[in-house]
Amino acid sequence: MMKAVPMIFNTETVKALLDGRKTVTRRPTKKEVTYSENGGFCCDGYMFGIGFTYKETMKNFVNSKHAPCKVGDLIWVRETFCHQPCANAPELTVYKSGYPQLELSRYESIMSESEIKWTRSIHMPRWASRLTLRVTDVRIERVQDITQEQAKKEGIRYHWLYNEWGGLEAHPYSRPNASIWRWYKQAVTAFERLWNSIYSNWDENPYVWVIEFEVIRKNIDQVIEEVSA
């Protein structure tokens, strides 16, 4: 049965989703995961069975309750946004991933910058979500197993002038709404730095969930309604 799963994305990764650069996300496992060639994956005191191949062994674990989602499930994106009454637009909703160049320009006549009161992504209600991700693959692997191609699919940008990768990790001295990005020679290095800026455990090489998806620019309930029709 298809599930609808909420998932938080920061402003820069939402931009990558909108640009079509991001088609995969890696998320930490909620509990420690270990692997044994004799018993397969183990989590929370349970072993999930060895298969004839590693792929089958991994499938046994992916099909467990510990996986955040399954192939075919829908993820509704939680992002930073603003929804508040305005004199000329009582139902105005602005998303920070498009601010100020995209979103505010559409509403500058009815909302000034000082009026915007951002709501953190964790507090975004389901009705306000505008992006839905249809899961096409779920697997588990060590975070350091990421390849150059997979790092690019994480949304890492290419800087044609410097011939470097990055564009998702801001310098500490970046100004609000005018970020200065860090760039690296390899996409994997850029992803490593980005991961450490969030989780600080790259060197521990933990197991992570790898979720691939296609992006649908619609609210989750609209997508479900269309699927059910």
Side-chain angles (χ1 to χ4, degrees), residues 118-224:
W118 297 116
T119 299
R120 294 175 58 194
S121 54
I122 193 171
H123 299 302
M124 169 179 267
R126 179 167 168 148
W127 61 262
S129 179
R130 58 172 174 165
L131 292 174
T132 300
L133 314 179
R134 192 192 311 275
V135 179
T136 57
D137 186 52
V138 181
R139 59 186 182 274
I140 190 164
E141 63 184 39
R142 298 280 190 180
V143 68
Q144 292 183 20
D145 289 341
I146 191 171
T147 64
Q148 291 293 331
E149 288 305 311
Q150 277 285 305
K152 296 172 188 177
K153 290 181 178 181
E154 283 277 359
I156 303 300
R157 285 188 289 175
Y158 177 69
H159 197 303
W160 62 270
L161 181 60
Y162 300 132
N163 191 28
E164 292 181 331
W165 296 89
L168 286 178
E169 180 197 3
H171 275 288
Y173 55 79
S174 292
R175 294 172 297 168
N177 304 316
S179 296
I180 302 172
W181 308 111
R182 290 182 172 177
W183 301 89
Y184 305 90
K185 293 299 183 183
Q186 299 291 332
V188 166
T189 306
F191 178 78
E192 173 191 341
R193 301 297 193 273
L194 176 64
W195 181 271
N196 263 339
S197 72
I198 302 171
Y199 302 110
S200 304
N201 65 354
W202 175 270
D203 290 340
E204 297 172 20
N205 200 18
Y207 277 104
V208 296
W209 292 109
V210 183
I211 305 167
E212 301 204 22
F213 49 78
E214 59 176 322
V215 181
I216 305 171
R217 297 191 180 202
K218 296 179 181 179
N219 176 268
I220 177 69
D221 292 316
Q222 183 180 352
V223 175
I224 292 176

Side-chain angles (χ1 to χ4, degrees), residues 4-18 22 25 27 74-81 95 97 120-134 213-221 223:
V5 182
M7 194 170 288
I8 294 173
F9 287 79
N10 65 30
T11 298
E12 293 309 317
T13 54
V14 172
K15 290 179 181 179
L17 292 173
L18 292 169
K22 187 172 180 64
T25 185
R27 302 288 167 135
L74 300 175
I75 296 170
W76 56 278
V77 174
R78 278 181 156 165
E79 58 177 301
T80 301
F81 77 110
Y95 299 91
S97 58
R120 294 175 58 194
S121 54
I122 193 171
H123 299 302
M124 169 179 267
R126 179 167 168 148
W127 61 262
S129 179
R130 58 172 174 165
L131 292 174
T132 300
L133 314 179
R134 192 192 311 275
F213 49 78
E214 59 176 322
V215 181
I216 305 171
R217 297 191 180 202
K218 296 179 181 179
N219 176 268
I220 177 69
D221 292 316
V223 175

